[in-house]
Amino acid sequence: AVVSTQSTGTQVKVIAQEQPVATIPTAQIWNTSLSTQPSEQSGKDVTHEIKGITKVMVKTMTAAQQVPRFTFHDEYTVDSIVGMKSLLKKVGDEQKVKLTFMAFIIKACSQALVEFPMINAHVNADCTAITYKAAHNIGIATDTPHGLMVPNIKNVQNLSIVGIARELERLKALAENNKLSTDDVTGGTFSLSNVGAVGGTYASPMLVVPEVCIGAFGRTQRKPAFNAEGEVYAANTMCVSWSGDHRVLDGATVARFSNVVSAYLQDPTRLLLSLK
């Protein structure tokens, strides 16, 4: 049970027991495959030592597996954003940046995190304290020739959608050239994965400890749906999967958070009007 709440200026720490909050190193660079494949010519098995980025992945995933998590699946209607595709291209050309749906998703999540600060949080090693993070440092799983990396965009709550798009381009370029800095891959508070980029729909994403929530967005699909008049039409939909740390989050909280994100994406004008 929570026995006290302490204000620390830019962050809030909810303390479950009278002991200091531990800092857990965050490893946010994952590898998806070993660099050398079995030889087709020899027809023999090949054994490799697990090292480098793959070794970091072993440590990260082992830590994540120790956390009891749940996964919540949802489906968003994104007709409005899809309808803005030509406008986004025009604005992107003017701003000299590629405006993707992902930039809107990231901003929608950040706005929803304002209403659900417990989702933008870290827990300590023995789960006796949870720290509500002031900054929305949103990690983005990025597929690269060097493996799966998760750099994060710092202070998304202060960025415009165009600013987020610029950061996405910067981090992607650095990741593809294996030049991400330590600052780029540490300090994340909440993460997202765009599984739709490789053709996926639903997923069961693993947490990035000590974060308490991660989302995976699938590809946009056209499906039959009913409009307000009961007529069938082709709706643009997007599958989303949320995984949460069940020690500190319950399914209802994540479902409500997902509903807010969905509302912002269904009506982008609401998202724009909510910006400071």
Side-chain angles (χ1 to χ4, degrees):
V2 174
V3 296
S4 66
T5 302
Q6 300 177 357
S7 174
T8 58
T10 60
Q11 298 180 354
V12 175
K13 295 182 180 179
V14 182
I15 306 299
Q17 293 181 12
E18 295 294 333
Q19 50 186 292
V21 178
T23 300
I24 307 172
T26 303
Q28 292 182 305
I29 305 178
W30 305 338
N31 193 17
T32 54
S33 63
L34 293 173
S35 59
T36 306
Q37 303 300 323
S39 170
E40 293 182 359
Q41 294 180 349
S42 66
K44 296 180 180 179
D45 295 344
V46 177
T47 300
H48 296 279
E49 178 186 356
I50 295 177
K51 56 185 178 180
I53 292 177
T54 307
K55 191 170 184 178
V56 174
M57 180 182 177
V58 171
K59 182 178 179 181
T60 304
M61 292 298 97
T62 300
Q65 191 60 35
Q66 304 307 309
V67 177
R69 67 186 171 95
F70 66 92
T71 301
F72 170 83
H73 300 294
D74 205 349
E75 186 175 274
Y76 297 168
T77 300
V78 291
D79 290 326
S80 295
I81 290 183
V82 172
M84 293 170 59
K85 193 170 184 179
S86 59
L87 176 61
L88 294 179
K89 186 179 186 309
K90 179 182 177 181
V91 174
D93 290 342
E94 292 174 354
Q95 297 290 327
K96 294 182 173 53
V97 65
K98 185 176 181 180
L99 282 174
T100 64
F101 295 158
M102 197 63 193
F104 278 84
I105 291 170
I106 293 168
K107 191 61 181 181
C109 288
S110 178
Q111 289 301 114
L113 288 173
V114 174
E115 299 181 41
F116 295 86
M118 70 291 294
I119 291 178
N120 189 61
H122 284 185
V123 291
N124 65 340
D126 56 1
C127 201
T128 56
I130 180 170
T131 303
Y132 293 4
K133 308 298 282 186
H136 297 175
N137 298 341
I138 299 182
I140 308 299
T142 306
D143 185 30
T144 78
H146 316 285
L148 180 64
M149 300 185 180
V150 191
N152 62 81
I153 301 175
K154 298 292 193 293
N155 295 301
V156 173
Q157 76 279 6
N158 297 329
L159 296 179
S160 66
I161 292 173
V162 170
I164 293 169
R166 293 192 194 284
E167 275 295 283
L168 281 173
E169 287 189 345
R170 182 185 74 84
L171 293 172
K172 182 179 179 182
L174 290 174
E176 288 179 347
N177 290 287
N178 203 21
K179 292 184 178 180
L180 289 167
S181 68
T182 300
D183 183 63
D184 289 327
V185 298
T186 57
T189 62
F190 173 86
S191 293
L192 296 172
S193 175
N194 183 12
V195 297
V198 290
T201 52
Y202 291 110
S204 183
M206 299 292 287
L207 294 170
V208 182
V209 177
E211 296 172 22
V212 300
C213 191
I214 182 172
F217 283 78
R219 68 177 183 271
T220 303
Q221 304 175 88
R222 288 173 68 81
K223 292 184 177 182
F226 292 96
N227 61 20
E229 289 72 37
E231 302 168 332
V232 178
Y233 78 104
N236 294 284
T237 64
M238 179 181 289
C239 301
V240 60
S241 305
W242 301 104
S243 287
D245 184 337
H246 220 336
R247 300 172 301 175
V248 294
L249 293 178
D250 56 68
T253 297
V254 175
R256 294 187 185 100
F257 168 77
S258 181
N259 289 340
V260 174
V261 175
S262 176
Y264 280 131
L265 295 178
Q266 286 182 33
D267 185 5
T269 57
R270 178 183 173 187
L271 177 61
L272 296 175
L273 289 173
S274 68
L275 302 182
K276 296 180 180 179

